[in-house]
Amino acid sequence: MRSKKKRTGKEETFTPIDFFTQEEIDEFNRKGINNLEPYLPIPDYIRKHDEFVFRVRDELLKKFPNDEFLNSLYKEENIEIFFTYTWYEKYGIK
């Protein structure tokens, strides 16, 4: 999905809501849609990377259930490491 922000300037919230008009949000509410993830304009390469790191982390945790670093990736303060760094290379995965 390709989209651009519809709320800018003083209306901008810096959240996913910025990609929807109030009319679209009202329509979601009428339809009972409260999960906007499928409607968010996330580029495919980012979505694929996210799926990759989740899969790799889960597979590695099965092999190394007591690994302190892998378990720390669940913590909010490590979210940036989880999504932006190549932490999985430490385990021989490229």
Side-chain angles (χ1 to χ4, degrees), residues 12-43:
E12 192 168 13
T13 65
F14 301 100
T15 67
I17 295 296
D18 292 339
F19 291 95
F20 304 100
T21 64
Q22 189 59 49
E23 293 79 19
E24 290 170 321
I25 293 169
D26 292 344
E27 182 66 21
F28 290 143
N29 288 333
R30 277 192 292 281
K31 292 180 177 180
I33 297 171
N34 56 14
N35 178 9
L36 299 180
E37 187 176 333
Y39 302 94
L40 294 177
I42 299 172

Side-chain angles (χ1 to χ4, degrees), residues 33-67:
I33 297 171
N34 56 14
N35 178 9
L36 299 180
E37 187 176 333
Y39 302 94
L40 294 177
I42 299 172
D44 284 342
Y45 71 94
I46 292 176
R47 189 177 307 274
K48 286 178 183 176
H49 180 265
D50 290 356
E51 291 169 358
F52 170 76
V53 293
F54 275 107
R55 182 177 47 79
V56 166
R57 183 201 54 201
D58 292 345
E59 289 173 3
L60 287 171
L61 274 171
K62 287 178 184 173
K63 289 181 183 178
F64 311 106
N66 297 319
D67 188 291

